[in-house]
Amino acid sequence: MSLANAARRSFTSSSVRRGKLGLEGLASKVDLGSSRVLIRLDLNVPLSKDDGVTITDDTRLRAVVPTMNFLKEQGAQVVVATHIGRPKGEPDAKFSVAPIVGRFSELLDTDVVKVDDCVGDDVAQACGAMPAGGVVLLENVRFHTGETKNFDDFAAALAGSCGATAYVNDAFGTAHRAHASTEGVVKFIDGPAAGGYLMEKELVYIKGRKRVYIKGAIDDPKRPLTAILGGAKVSTKIPVIESMLDKCDNVLVGGGMIFTFYKAMGHSVGASLIEEDMVPMAKDLIAKAKAKGVNFLLPTDVVVADKFAADANYKVVPVDGIPDGWLGLDVGPATQATFSATAAASTTVVWNGPMGVFEFDAFSKGTFGVADALAANESAITIIGGGDSVAAVEKAGLADKMSHISTGGGASLELLEGKVLPGVAALDDA
């Protein structure tokens, strides 16, 4: 059996439920049939730019169905707290959770009852009328400043209004935020707390749990371990790169941030994106990789364009031959071949960030080349994190070929860095 297949098999409900923070542990501590469970989900689905209400990708809704079904089957009254977008701490109709009610009801085969606030008398009334196995969806928690500020009075109101006797967090995508609904609320619920199936799956794949077949891509990987890191800016990836240099056999770097590295190496980068203040750090990272014996690969050729546009004129040049006024928008074919060969020889691969501006067809080959290489390596554990990487894999139709696609870009990055996620720490403390 391939490692990838074993990985997928390991995440049957029976293996996940055995966790310290898992749902079966919760069920052993409290009679869910007489409990009201407040569950934090990340249902921040993309909505159509045309009408603002049509869901264009329901992945996040489908991802939490196993957890929701478990709670419903146990007879729990389930109260869902979530958010959409980034409202400014006050009600805003364009960020209402109303558009997800219909599809969520279909997926759960239940009439989801939506409340127009997340605290207050209306919440208490709706929750009080809920049958066993029922689902109440609270309005966007970010309509209150107390959510992102993690104010105690808001966290207490969130727990008290719905009368929660237990708490579940299945919102890995927000677990790196110390918000009221992810961290603060736990101390105001006089009952057990647990992580849902999605939360635990994320933690197992990236950090590992000894009870399952995979011990974690980072803490106890099957080697060779390769990190493929892309994106526009070095500044957003420095902690991850530093962490990967301590753990990986290979670190492959693409995307717009490569030009800051080239600047550090003394190359002319034309009109390419660079972060001048990050040049010394880039030079330091190159030196650290060499000192640690890590195979640190930067592209040897790039695709440059005369403007940032889908219809730009473009050509392939070596990294030391970028013309003045031209900007790099993708890695070149020689680099694609090298990166693909390295990925093919790896047993564990973590990918975060695109290799170029993959939204433009002319500059998408590097990103889709990585996706193809990972999909072809059926014996490897392949973990995809970060919104753009996930979008590229989905666009390429290769999502089902990957071992794990993370639902949390920022959370997965911080977990890779070795940080403690507040939403997870709160469950441990509880």
Side-chain angles (χ1 to χ4, degrees), residues 264-285:
M265 297 165 66
H267 296 321
S268 173
V269 297
S272 303
L273 173 70
I274 62 168
E275 294 176 277
E276 290 284 0
D277 58 334
M278 291 292 110
V279 171
M281 178 60 74
K283 187 177 295 186
D284 184 51
L285 289 172

mmCIF file with all atom_site columns, all heavy atoms in Angstrom, residues 264-285:
data_model
loop_
_atom_site.group_PDB
_atom_site.id
_atom_site.type_symbol
_atom_site.label_atom_id
_atom_site.label_alt_id
_atom_site.label_comp_id
_atom_site.label_asym_id
_atom_site.label_entity_id
_atom_site.label_seq_id
_atom_site.pdbx_PDB_ins_code
_atom_site.Cartn_x
_atom_site.Cartn_y
_atom_site.Cartn_z
_atom_site.occupancy
_atom_site.B_iso_or_equiv
_atom_site.pdbx_formal_charge
_atom_site.auth_seq_id
_atom_site.auth_comp_id
_atom_site.auth_asym_id
_atom_site.auth_atom_id
_atom_site.pdbx_PDB_model_num
ATOM 1   N N   . ALA A 1 264 ? 19.914 39.862 -3.423  1.00 0.00 ? 264 ALA A N   1
ATOM 2   C CA  . ALA A 1 264 ? 20.909 39.558 -2.400  1.00 0.00 ? 264 ALA A CA  1
ATOM 3   C C   . ALA A 1 264 ? 22.143 38.891 -2.993  1.00 0.00 ? 264 ALA A C   1
ATOM 4   O O   . ALA A 1 264 ? 23.248 38.996 -2.450  1.00 0.00 ? 264 ALA A O   1
ATOM 5   C CB  . ALA A 1 264 ? 20.290 38.668 -1.323  1.00 0.00 ? 264 ALA A CB  1
ATOM 6   N N   . MET A 1 265 ? 21.949 38.189 -4.121  1.00 0.00 ? 265 MET A N   1
ATOM 7   C CA  . MET A 1 265 ? 23.053 37.502 -4.791  1.00 0.00 ? 265 MET A CA  1
ATOM 8   C C   . MET A 1 265 ? 23.770 38.407 -5.796  1.00 0.00 ? 265 MET A C   1
ATOM 9   O O   . MET A 1 265 ? 24.718 37.983 -6.464  1.00 0.00 ? 265 MET A O   1
ATOM 10  C CB  . MET A 1 265 ? 22.522 36.262 -5.497  1.00 0.00 ? 265 MET A CB  1
ATOM 11  C CG  . MET A 1 265 ? 21.936 35.224 -4.548  1.00 0.00 ? 265 MET A CG  1
ATOM 12  S SD  . MET A 1 265 ? 20.921 33.963 -5.388  1.00 0.00 ? 265 MET A SD  1
ATOM 13  C CE  . MET A 1 265 ? 22.156 33.117 -6.370  1.00 0.00 ? 265 MET A CE  1
ATOM 14  N N   . GLY A 1 266 ? 23.305 39.647 -5.927  1.00 0.00 ? 266 GLY A N   1
ATOM 15  C CA  . GLY A 1 266 ? 23.966 40.589 -6.812  1.00 0.00 ? 266 GLY A CA  1
ATOM 16  C C   . GLY A 1 266 ? 23.452 40.612 -8.236  1.00 0.00 ? 266 GLY A C   1
ATOM 17  O O   . GLY A 1 266 ? 24.047 41.253 -9.106  1.00 0.00 ? 266 GLY A O   1
ATOM 18  N N   . HIS A 1 267 ? 22.341 39.922 -8.510  1.00 0.00 ? 267 HIS A N   1
ATOM 19  C CA  . HIS A 1 267 ? 21.783 39.903 -9.863  1.00 0.00 ? 267 HIS A CA  1
ATOM 20  C C   . HIS A 1 267 ? 20.911 41.133 -10.114 1.00 0.00 ? 267 HIS A C   1
ATOM 21  O O   . HIS A 1 267 ? 20.274 41.659 -9.190  1.00 0.00 ? 267 HIS A O   1
ATOM 22  C CB  . HIS A 1 267 ? 20.938 38.650 -10.092 1.00 0.00 ? 267 HIS A CB  1
ATOM 23  C CG  . HIS A 1 267 ? 21.703 37.375 -10.033 1.00 0.00 ? 267 HIS A CG  1
ATOM 24  N ND1 . HIS A 1 267 ? 22.970 37.231 -10.547 1.00 0.00 ? 267 HIS A ND1 1
ATOM 25  C CD2 . HIS A 1 267 ? 21.371 36.158 -9.515  1.00 0.00 ? 267 HIS A CD2 1
ATOM 26  C CE1 . HIS A 1 267 ? 23.398 35.998 -10.364 1.00 0.00 ? 267 HIS A CE1 1
ATOM 27  N NE2 . HIS A 1 267 ? 22.436 35.328 -9.724  1.00 0.00 ? 267 HIS A NE2 1
ATOM 28  N N   . SER A 1 268 ? 20.835 41.554 -11.359 1.00 0.00 ? 268 SER A N   1
ATOM 29  C CA  . SER A 1 268 ? 19.886 42.580 -11.754 1.00 0.00 ? 268 SER A CA  1
ATOM 30  C C   . SER A 1 268 ? 18.526 41.915 -11.925 1.00 0.00 ? 268 SER A C   1
ATOM 31  O O   . SER A 1 268 ? 18.420 40.845 -12.533 1.00 0.00 ? 268 SER A O   1
ATOM 32  C CB  . SER A 1 268 ? 20.318 43.232 -13.069 1.00 0.00 ? 268 SER A CB  1
ATOM 33  O OG  . SER A 1 268 ? 19.310 44.112 -13.541 1.00 0.00 ? 268 SER A OG  1
ATOM 34  N N   . VAL A 1 269 ? 17.478 42.534 -11.395 1.00 0.00 ? 269 VAL A N   1
ATOM 35  C CA  . VAL A 1 269 ? 16.154 41.910 -11.451 1.00 0.00 ? 269 VAL A CA  1
ATOM 36  C C   . VAL A 1 269 ? 15.175 42.709 -12.304 1.00 0.00 ? 269 VAL A C   1
ATOM 37  O O   . VAL A 1 269 ? 13.979 42.419 -12.325 1.00 0.00 ? 269 VAL A O   1
ATOM 38  C CB  . VAL A 1 269 ? 15.573 41.709 -10.032 1.00 0.00 ? 269 VAL A CB  1
ATOM 39  C CG1 . VAL A 1 269 ? 16.436 40.752 -9.233  1.00 0.00 ? 269 VAL A CG1 1
ATOM 40  C CG2 . VAL A 1 269 ? 15.427 43.046 -9.305  1.00 0.00 ? 269 VAL A CG2 1
ATOM 41  N N   . GLY A 1 270 ? 15.679 43.700 -13.043 1.00 0.00 ? 270 GLY A N   1
ATOM 42  C CA  . GLY A 1 270 ? 14.807 44.492 -13.896 1.00 0.00 ? 270 GLY A CA  1
ATOM 43  C C   . GLY A 1 270 ? 13.729 45.196 -13.092 1.00 0.00 ? 270 GLY A C   1
ATOM 44  O O   . GLY A 1 270 ? 14.009 45.805 -12.065 1.00 0.00 ? 270 GLY A O   1
ATOM 45  N N   . ALA A 1 271 ? 12.478 45.067 -13.540 1.00 0.00 ? 271 ALA A N   1
ATOM 46  C CA  . ALA A 1 271 ? 11.353 45.707 -12.845 1.00 0.00 ? 271 ALA A CA  1
ATOM 47  C C   . ALA A 1 271 ? 10.615 44.718 -11.937 1.00 0.00 ? 271 ALA A C   1
ATOM 48  O O   . ALA A 1 271 ? 9.487  44.979 -11.520 1.00 0.00 ? 271 ALA A O   1
ATOM 49  C CB  . ALA A 1 271 ? 10.388 46.296 -13.873 1.00 0.00 ? 271 ALA A CB  1
ATOM 50  N N   . SER A 1 272 ? 11.247 43.597 -11.640 1.00 0.00 ? 272 SER A N   1
ATOM 51  C CA  . SER A 1 272 ? 10.606 42.560 -10.820 1.00 0.00 ? 272 SER A CA  1
ATOM 52  C C   . SER A 1 272 ? 10.370 43.045 -9.393  1.00 0.00 ? 272 SER A C   1
ATOM 53  O O   . SER A 1 272 ? 11.067 43.939 -8.892  1.00 0.00 ? 272 SER A O   1
ATOM 54  C CB  . SER A 1 272 ? 11.474 41.303 -10.789 1.00 0.00 ? 272 SER A CB  1
ATOM 55  O OG  . SER A 1 272 ? 11.729 40.819 -12.091 1.00 0.00 ? 272 SER A OG  1
ATOM 56  N N   . LEU A 1 273 ? 9.391  42.421 -8.749  1.00 0.00 ? 273 LEU A N   1
ATOM 57  C CA  . LEU A 1 273 ? 9.060  42.754 -7.370  1.00 0.00 ? 273 LEU A CA  1
ATOM 58  C C   . LEU A 1 273 ? 10.198 42.385 -6.436  1.00 0.00 ? 273 LEU A C   1
ATOM 59  O O   . LEU A 1 273 ? 10.702 41.256 -6.463  1.00 0.00 ? 273 LEU A O   1
ATOM 60  C CB  . LEU A 1 273 ? 7.794  41.988 -6.946  1.00 0.00 ? 273 LEU A CB  1
ATOM 61  C CG  . LEU A 1 273 ? 7.381  42.089 -5.473  1.00 0.00 ? 273 LEU A CG  1
ATOM 62  C CD1 . LEU A 1 273 ? 6.874  43.492 -5.178  1.00 0.00 ? 273 LEU A CD1 1
ATOM 63  C CD2 . LEU A 1 273 ? 6.297  41.057 -5.144  1.00 0.00 ? 273 LEU A CD2 1
ATOM 64  N N   . ILE A 1 274 ? 10.636 43.330 -5.616  1.00 0.00 ? 274 ILE A N   1
ATOM 65  C CA  . ILE A 1 274 ? 11.604 43.021 -4.567  1.00 0.00 ? 274 ILE A CA  1
ATOM 66  C C   . ILE A 1 274 ? 11.223 43.776 -3.298  1.00 0.00 ? 274 ILE A C   1
ATOM 67  O O   . ILE A 1 274 ? 10.510 44.777 -3.347  1.00 0.00 ? 274 ILE A O   1
ATOM 68  C CB  . ILE A 1 274 ? 13.063 43.382 -4.952  1.00 0.00 ? 274 ILE A CB  1
ATOM 69  C CG1 . ILE A 1 274 ? 13.198 44.891 -5.208  1.00 0.00 ? 274 ILE A CG1 1
ATOM 70  C CG2 . ILE A 1 274 ? 13.539 42.577 -6.130  1.00 0.00 ? 274 ILE A CG2 1
ATOM 71  C CD1 . ILE A 1 274 ? 14.653 45.337 -5.300  1.00 0.00 ? 274 ILE A CD1 1
ATOM 72  N N   . GLU A 1 275 ? 11.714 43.288 -2.179  1.00 0.00 ? 275 GLU A N   1
ATOM 73  C CA  . GLU A 1 275 ? 11.567 43.966 -0.896  1.00 0.00 ? 275 GLU A CA  1
ATOM 74  C C   . GLU A 1 275 ? 12.969 44.364 -0.446  1.00 0.00 ? 275 GLU A C   1
ATOM 75  O O   . GLU A 1 275 ? 13.732 43.544 0.071   1.00 0.00 ? 275 GLU A O   1
ATOM 76  C CB  . GLU A 1 275 ? 10.911 43.048 0.133   1.00 0.00 ? 275 GLU A CB  1
ATOM 77  C CG  . GLU A 1 275 ? 9.470  42.690 -0.185  1.00 0.00 ? 275 GLU A CG  1
ATOM 78  C CD  . GLU A 1 275 ? 8.894  41.694 0.813   1.00 0.00 ? 275 GLU A CD  1
ATOM 79  O OE1 . GLU A 1 275 ? 9.137  40.489 0.640   1.00 0.00 ? 275 GLU A OE1 1
ATOM 80  O OE2 . GLU A 1 275 ? 8.238  42.134 1.774   1.00 0.00 ? 275 GLU A OE2 1
ATOM 81  N N   . GLU A 1 276 ? 13.294 45.619 -0.654  1.00 0.00 ? 276 GLU A N   1
ATOM 82  C CA  . GLU A 1 276 ? 14.652 46.093 -0.374  1.00 0.00 ? 276 GLU A CA  1
ATOM 83  C C   . GLU A 1 276 ? 15.071 45.830 1.067   1.00 0.00 ? 276 GLU A C   1
ATOM 84  O O   . GLU A 1 276 ? 16.216 45.452 1.337   1.00 0.00 ? 276 GLU A O   1
ATOM 85  C CB  . GLU A 1 276 ? 14.757 47.590 -0.681  1.00 0.00 ? 276 GLU A CB  1
ATOM 86  C CG  . GLU A 1 276 ? 14.697 47.932 -2.156  1.00 0.00 ? 276 GLU A CG  1
ATOM 87  C CD  . GLU A 1 276 ? 16.004 47.629 -2.889  1.00 0.00 ? 276 GLU A CD  1
ATOM 88  O OE1 . GLU A 1 276 ? 16.958 47.153 -2.243  1.00 0.00 ? 276 GLU A OE1 1
ATOM 89  O OE2 . GLU A 1 276 ? 16.044 47.864 -4.111  1.00 0.00 ? 276 GLU A OE2 1
ATOM 90  N N   . ASP A 1 277 ? 14.142 46.008 1.996   1.00 0.00 ? 277 ASP A N   1
ATOM 91  C CA  . ASP A 1 277 ? 14.494 45.837 3.404   1.00 0.00 ? 277 ASP A CA  1
ATOM 92  C C   . ASP A 1 277 ? 14.694 44.377 3.786   1.00 0.00 ? 277 ASP A C   1
ATOM 93  O O   . ASP A 1 277 ? 15.203 44.081 4.865   1.00 0.00 ? 277 ASP A O   1
ATOM 94  C CB  . ASP A 1 277 ? 13.437 46.476 4.309   1.00 0.00 ? 277 ASP A CB  1
ATOM 95  C CG  . ASP A 1 277 ? 12.045 45.899 4.094   1.00 0.00 ? 277 ASP A CG  1
ATOM 96  O OD1 . ASP A 1 277 ? 11.779 45.412 2.976   1.00 0.00 ? 277 ASP A OD1 1
ATOM 97  O OD2 . ASP A 1 277 ? 11.222 45.939 5.033   1.00 0.00 ? 277 ASP A OD2 1
ATOM 98  N N   . MET A 1 278 ? 14.315 43.471 2.889   1.00 0.00 ? 278 MET A N   1
ATOM 99  C CA  . MET A 1 278 ? 14.468 42.045 3.161   1.00 0.00 ? 278 MET A CA  1
ATOM 100 C C   . MET A 1 278 ? 15.720 41.444 2.503   1.00 0.00 ? 278 MET A C   1
ATOM 101 O O   . MET A 1 278 ? 15.997 40.262 2.684   1.00 0.00 ? 278 MET A O   1
ATOM 102 C CB  . MET A 1 278 ? 13.236 41.289 2.665   1.00 0.00 ? 278 MET A CB  1
ATOM 103 C CG  . MET A 1 278 ? 11.962 41.534 3.441   1.00 0.00 ? 278 MET A CG  1
ATOM 104 S SD  . MET A 1 278 ? 12.043 40.838 5.128   1.00 0.00 ? 278 MET A SD  1
ATOM 105 C CE  . MET A 1 278 ? 12.103 42.346 6.093   1.00 0.00 ? 278 MET A CE  1
ATOM 106 N N   . VAL A 1 279 ? 16.448 42.249 1.765   1.00 0.00 ? 279 VAL A N   1
ATOM 107 C CA  . VAL A 1 279 ? 17.636 41.733 1.071   1.00 0.00 ? 279 VAL A CA  1
ATOM 108 C C   . VAL A 1 279 ? 18.663 41.154 2.049   1.00 0.00 ? 279 VAL A C   1
ATOM 109 O O   . VAL A 1 279 ? 19.174 40.042 1.825   1.00 0.00 ? 279 VAL A O   1
ATOM 110 C CB  . VAL A 1 279 ? 18.258 42.835 0.181   1.00 0.00 ? 279 VAL A CB  1
ATOM 111 C CG1 . VAL A 1 279 ? 19.618 42.378 -0.359  1.00 0.00 ? 279 VAL A CG1 1
ATOM 112 C CG2 . VAL A 1 279 ? 17.322 43.167 -0.976  1.00 0.00 ? 279 VAL A CG2 1
ATOM 113 N N   . PRO A 1 280 ? 18.989 41.838 3.157   1.00 0.00 ? 280 PRO A N   1
ATOM 114 C CA  . PRO A 1 280 ? 19.935 41.245 4.109   1.00 0.00 ? 280 PRO A CA  1
ATOM 115 C C   . PRO A 1 280 ? 19.438 39.912 4.683   1.00 0.00 ? 280 PRO A C   1
ATOM 116 O O   . PRO A 1 280 ? 20.218 38.976 4.869   1.00 0.00 ? 280 PRO A O   1
ATOM 117 C CB  . PRO A 1 280 ? 20.067 42.312 5.199   1.00 0.00 ? 280 PRO A CB  1
ATOM 118 C CG  . PRO A 1 280 ? 19.703 43.593 4.516   1.00 0.00 ? 280 PRO A CG  1
ATOM 119 C CD  . PRO A 1 280 ? 18.619 43.215 3.551   1.00 0.00 ? 280 PRO A CD  1
ATOM 120 N N   . MET A 1 281 ? 18.135 39.832 4.951   1.00 0.00 ? 281 MET A N   1
ATOM 121 C CA  . MET A 1 281 ? 17.572 38.585 5.481   1.00 0.00 ? 281 MET A CA  1
ATOM 122 C C   . MET A 1 281 ? 17.653 37.473 4.453   1.00 0.00 ? 281 MET A C   1
ATOM 123 O O   . MET A 1 281 ? 17.954 36.316 4.784   1.00 0.00 ? 281 MET A O   1
ATOM 124 C CB  . MET A 1 281 ? 16.125 38.811 5.910   1.00 0.00 ? 281 MET A CB  1
ATOM 125 C CG  . MET A 1 281 ? 15.423 37.557 6.423   1.00 0.00 ? 281 MET A CG  1
ATOM 126 S SD  . MET A 1 281 ? 16.238 36.818 7.866   1.00 0.00 ? 281 MET A SD  1
ATOM 127 C CE  . MET A 1 281 ? 15.763 37.992 9.133   1.00 0.00 ? 281 MET A CE  1
ATOM 128 N N   . ALA A 1 282 ? 17.405 37.805 3.193   1.00 0.00 ? 282 ALA A N   1
ATOM 129 C CA  . ALA A 1 282 ? 17.507 36.807 2.129   1.00 0.00 ? 282 ALA A CA  1
ATOM 130 C C   . ALA A 1 282 ? 18.927 36.268 2.034   1.00 0.00 ? 282 ALA A C   1
ATOM 131 O O   . ALA A 1 282 ? 19.153 35.057 1.886   1.00 0.00 ? 282 ALA A O   1
ATOM 132 C CB  . ALA A 1 282 ? 17.076 37.417 0.793   1.00 0.00 ? 282 ALA A CB  1
ATOM 133 N N   . LYS A 1 283 ? 19.890 37.149 2.122   1.00 0.00 ? 283 LYS A N   1
ATOM 134 C CA  . LYS A 1 283 ? 21.301 36.737 2.085   1.00 0.00 ? 283 LYS A CA  1
ATOM 135 C C   . LYS A 1 283 ? 21.615 35.823 3.267   1.00 0.00 ? 283 LYS A C   1
ATOM 136 O O   . LYS A 1 283 ? 22.325 34.822 3.136   1.00 0.00 ? 283 LYS A O   1
ATOM 137 C CB  . LYS A 1 283 ? 22.198 37.978 2.117   1.00 0.00 ? 283 LYS A CB  1
ATOM 138 C CG  . LYS A 1 283 ? 23.679 37.694 1.925   1.00 0.00 ? 283 LYS A CG  1
ATOM 139 C CD  . LYS A 1 283 ? 24.487 38.984 1.910   1.00 0.00 ? 283 LYS A CD  1
ATOM 140 C CE  . LYS A 1 283 ? 24.133 39.838 0.709   1.00 0.00 ? 283 LYS A CE  1
ATOM 141 N NZ  . LYS A 1 283 ? 25.022 41.033 0.605   1.00 0.00 ? 283 LYS A NZ  1
ATOM 142 N N   . ASP A 1 284 ? 21.049 36.156 4.426   1.00 0.00 ? 284 ASP A N   1
ATOM 143 C CA  . ASP A 1 284 ? 21.280 35.361 5.633   1.00 0.00 ? 284 ASP A CA  1
ATOM 144 C C   . ASP A 1 284 ? 20.659 33.966 5.494   1.00 0.00 ? 284 ASP A C   1
ATOM 145 O O   . ASP A 1 284 ? 21.246 32.968 5.927   1.00 0.00 ? 284 ASP A O   1
ATOM 146 C CB  . ASP A 1 284 ? 20.674 36.089 6.834   1.00 0.00 ? 284 ASP A CB  1
ATOM 147 C CG  . ASP A 1 284 ? 20.960 35.382 8.156   1.00 0.00 ? 284 ASP A CG  1
ATOM 148 O OD1 . ASP A 1 284 ? 22.131 35.069 8.419   1.00 0.00 ? 284 ASP A OD1 1
ATOM 149 O OD2 . ASP A 1 284 ? 19.993 35.132 8.920   1.00 0.00 ? 284 ASP A OD2 1
ATOM 150 N N   . LEU A 1 285 ? 19.474 33.882 4.881   1.00 0.00 ? 285 LEU A N   1
ATOM 151 C CA  . LEU A 1 285 ? 18.814 32.584 4.696   1.00 0.00 ? 285 LEU A CA  1
ATOM 152 C C   . LEU A 1 285 ? 19.621 31.681 3.760   1.00 0.00 ? 285 LEU A C   1
ATOM 153 O O   . LEU A 1 285 ? 19.720 30.470 3.985   1.00 0.00 ? 285 LEU A O   1
ATOM 154 C CB  . LEU A 1 285 ? 17.400 32.782 4.153   1.00 0.00 ? 285 LEU A CB  1
ATOM 155 C CG  . LEU A 1 285 ? 16.379 33.375 5.123   1.00 0.00 ? 285 LEU A CG  1
ATOM 156 C CD1 . LEU A 1 285 ? 15.080 33.705 4.393   1.00 0.00 ? 285 LEU A CD1 1
ATOM 157 C CD2 . LEU A 1 285 ? 16.113 32.430 6.286   1.00 0.00 ? 285 LEU A CD2 1
#
